[in-house]
Amino acid sequence: MILEDIANLFKELSAKHTNKEIARNFGRERKFVINVKNGCNFVMNPEFIAGLREYGYELKLAKIGSDEE
């Protein structure tokens, strides 16, 4: 599930970066990082996408059963 995947990503990022640094890259406050790590909802906006890109990630939408990856 996407929320679990994002939470796990934020936990991994927190092992290498401070919550303040991560939050800054996502254009948010430190509390945002803590909430996402705990599985809370997030808003997928341009700032969130840019934050993922900053750490070398992108989101892709794929149809279930699709051969494309």
Side-chain angles (χ1 to χ4, degrees):
M1 176 171 215
I2 188 73
L3 292 177
E4 292 173 12
D5 292 342
I6 297 290
N8 290 336
L9 171 62
F10 272 63
K11 289 173 188 171
E12 290 176 21
L13 292 176
S14 291
K16 299 176 186 174
H17 308 278
T18 65
N19 287 345
K20 185 176 181 179
E21 179 185 1
I22 297 166
R24 184 175 52 245
N25 286 327
F26 281 84
R28 303 294 302 268
E29 297 178 0
R30 187 181 60 84
K31 179 174 63 173
F32 162 78
V33 176
I34 295 166
N35 288 338
V36 173
K37 286 193 303 189
N38 289 326
C40 294
N41 294 337
F42 59 89
V43 175
M44 187 171 53
N45 56 18
E47 290 80 12
F48 187 82
I49 301 299
L52 289 176
R53 184 169 288 265
E54 182 71 27
Y55 291 105
Y57 291 88
E58 66 179 5
L59 289 177
K60 291 184 179 182
L61 181 64
K63 185 172 180 167
I64 295 173
S66 173
D67 291 338
E68 293 183 36
E69 301 233 0

